[in-house]
Amino acid sequence: MSLLNFKGLRMCKITSFFPHYDMELFTNDKVYDVVFLIGGNLGDRLENLQRAESLLAEKMKLIKSSKLYETEAWGGNSEGNFLNKALLMQTNQNPEKVLDWSLQIEEKLERLRGRRWGNRTMDIDIIYFGDLIVNSDRLVIPHPELQNRKFVLEPLMDLMPGWKDPKSGLTIQDMYRVCKDTCEVWKLPDPTGKE
């Protein structure tokens, strides 16, 4: 099932029984809805977000984006608030290819990898890839921490509050309701002034 229930969309489900899934299962005649969370706390945070969104949109079709959020640092290894937003995009590429694109964009935006949950100019997380469940050496989808992070769930509430997580069966709304994360998340006005 597509996140937006697009007519005729064909999906296949890869479960954790296939930790090294066969890339041949992913052919270019399938279209996948991909949900990203993008954000950072270094440099010009808004410009970095806009550039990341634009660079992702060069590779995939942008369907919808969430509001902009400012969030307290999560995980205890970074200083300064983050700007975050969620994106819903479509692609006919496989998850590993999309991960490669994401890492290239992070690098282009001068992401330095140091401490886990540390400061960064840009972090691009793949939250969902249609209803696929992926466990590989490089990638876990759905994102394993999404249900524990308000800064992920609040933007997802903008995009798809009724979407059912393919692993837990809970909706985004359900996960948000029971999330115990105490970090503050603030919805910001549209920087373009369109609201």
Side-chain angles (χ1 to χ4, degrees), residues 74-89:
W74 192 94
N77 285 331
S78 55
E79 304 84 33
N81 291 347
F82 282 70
L83 282 189
N84 291 300
K85 74 187 303 189
L87 306 173
L88 173 60
M89 310 191 89

Side-chain angles (χ1 to χ4, degrees), residues 37-49 68-72 80-85 120-123 151 186 188 191:
L37 188 83
I38 61 175
N41 71 330
L42 295 180
D44 187 327
R45 299 174 305 161
L46 180 58
E47 183 183 338
N48 287 339
L49 270 186
L68 185 66
Y69 290 85
E70 183 155 13
T71 65
E72 284 186 318
N81 291 347
F82 282 70
L83 282 189
N84 291 300
K85 74 187 303 189
R120 74 281 312 265
T121 54
M122 180 51 52
D123 188 29
F151 72 87
W186 302 277
L188 300 180

